Amino acid sequence: MQGNAPTPDGQVADAATGNWVDTYAPTFARPYLRLSRADRPIGTWLLLIPCWWGLALAILSDGQPRWEDLWIAIGCAIGAFLMRGAGCTWNDITDREFDGKVERTRSRPIPSGQVSVRQAVFWMVLQCLLALAILLTFNQAAIAMGVLSLLPVTIYPFAKRFTWWPQIFLGLAFNWGALLAWAAHTGTVGRPAIMLYLSGIAWTLFYDTIYAHQDAEDDELIGIKSTARLFGTDTARWLKYFLIGTVSLMGLAIIDAALPEASVLALVVALSGPWAMGWHLAWQLRGLDTEDNAKLLQLFRANRDTGLIPLIFLCVALLL
């Protein structure tokens, strides 16, 4: 919090002061929007950006942009907002006992009593149905990918109970849009899309390990596993590996997609994207302090810009 500004009733601890939900949303809707993390939009960005990567790379691959692609981009944005909200609601339903024991999460709507479990289930189903309506406007391949995405989304909240690598399951869920958007444009899932997907998973391991360090002490007390706890003081070294994996796999995906259709200039511009993204990840590494929760949250949120960097280069390459 900044200064002595009053805290809105029900505000979640890690939401930014003055966010639109706590400031402008109708009072009755605030608990549900908080449940969907609408007051913390970074998650929507992190779910959406791989979708836009996949779409841009698919267009670069076949060199055939269509007006339909504009709707795919918009539909992915709406769908990312809805499915991120549904996924977060599911996560809070399954984690309600744990969230009440962790300082950062005990103010969430379910453990704080703003929303009942039954109300949360209804809200989750409603968001899923709205997202399904968007999905059904895409082709059959994309619809199939959308349905399959429910598997990693369903499993993720339980991963921290049985593996030290729950961030992999988050990566599987959060980067599925790279496959879906590629399929929405091409009607199939190609090798470049798979490599892009793997790149996104490495990126998720990078940013969510940073995020998980905020709860490392509480997680140890209640027996929750994470890469932050697994790596401990060796986190910086592991993050370097994830950085290299992110950049290398994205570079390979671009080369595989661009050849032989794209021009040399377009290929060079597109490849500059993961290179610049790598420098942004390196900047995060230089500022890493696993004992400073405010800094950890700042670095985590910076990953919206990290993901947008290669997207900008890909879009420029499409014009060449």
Side-chain angles (χ1 to χ4, degrees):
M1 299 298 171
Q2 299 176 352
N4 297 315
T7 301
D9 290 339
Q11 178 174 315
V12 178
D14 56 355
T17 301
N19 67 79
W20 75 272
V21 172
D22 295 325
T23 305
Y24 302 111
T27 302
F28 76 89
R30 289 178 185 177
Y32 297 98
L33 292 171
R34 291 170 184 144
L35 196 58
S36 297
R37 311 282 202 277
D39 53 346
R40 287 151 286 167
I42 178 60
T44 299
W45 281 109
L46 295 176
L47 187 61
L48 171 59
I49 286 170
C51 300
W52 284 349
W53 287 352
L55 177 60
L57 195 65
I59 298 172
L60 183 67
S61 175
D62 64 16
Q64 298 178 18
R66 301 184 294 268
W67 282 109
E68 178 188 354
D69 295 325
L70 179 59
W71 167 242
I72 294 173
I74 295 171
C76 283
I78 300 171
F81 178 82
L82 291 168
M83 285 309 297
R84 189 259 182 149
C88 288
T89 304
W90 171 240
N91 186 79
D92 283 10
I93 291 169
T94 59
D95 282 359
R96 59 189 182 277
E97 301 298 332
F98 293 126
D99 285 347
K101 299 175 183 178
V102 176
E103 179 64 30
R104 186 179 60 84
T105 58
R106 64 181 53 167
S107 58
R108 287 179 176 175
I110 295 178
S112 65
Q114 298 178 56
V115 176
S116 69
V117 174
R118 179 176 293 183
Q119 289 170 322
V121 170
F122 174 81
W123 179 239
M124 178 183 68
V125 172
L126 177 60
Q127 292 173 99
C128 287
L129 290 174
L130 292 172
L132 177 61
I134 299 294
L135 181 64
L136 291 176
T137 66
F138 295 163
N139 60 32
Q140 290 185 352
I143 293 171
M145 294 306 299
V147 173
L148 286 173
S149 72
L150 294 177
L151 181 61
V153 170
T154 301
I155 294 174
Y156 166 66
F158 302 101
K160 53 183 166 290
R161 295 163 169 81
F162 63 80
T163 177
W164 287 100
W165 294 82
Q167 279 68 30
I168 288 181
F169 288 86
L170 181 67
L172 290 170
F174 256 57
N175 295 281
W176 198 270
L179 303 175
L180 191 154
W182 174 285
H185 175 83
T186 65
T188 187
V189 176
R191 187 174 56 198
I194 294 172
M195 286 191 287
L196 187 66
Y197 180 53
L198 295 175
S199 172
I201 293 172
W203 178 42
T204 301
L205 281 162
F206 184 98
Y207 66 65
D208 204 60
T209 297
I210 292 174
Y211 185 78
H213 266 286
Q214 297 175 92
D215 300 328
E217 291 184 6
D218 287 333
D219 286 349
E220 184 175 4
L221 290 174
I222 60 179
I224 293 297
K225 298 177 174 67
S226 71
T227 50
R229 287 189 59 206
L230 178 64
F231 302 154
T233 56
D234 207 22
T235 291
R237 180 171 67 90
W238 279 94
L239 293 185
K240 288 178 184 177
Y241 297 152
F242 300 145
L243 185 162
I244 293 169
T246 301
V247 172
S248 300
L249 287 164
M250 185 178 291
L252 289 173
I254 290 171
I255 292 171
D256 196 20
L259 297 178
E261 298 296 330
S263 68
V264 173
L265 180 58
L267 178 59
V268 170
V269 170
L271 285 173
S272 298
W275 174 81
M277 182 184 187
W279 279 108
H280 199 272
L281 292 171
W283 166 78
Q284 292 183 52
L285 265 177
R286 288 197 297 272
L288 181 68
D289 181 353
T290 58
E291 302 300 319
D292 184 345
N293 280 4
K295 185 65 174 180
L296 290 169
L297 184 58
Q298 177 192 8
L299 292 176
F300 169 71
R301 288 173 173 168
N303 279 277
R304 179 201 65 176
D305 297 341
T306 309
L308 288 174
I309 288 170
L311 178 65
I312 292 170
F313 281 91
L314 280 171
C315 290
V316 172
L318 294 179
L319 301 175
L320 299 175

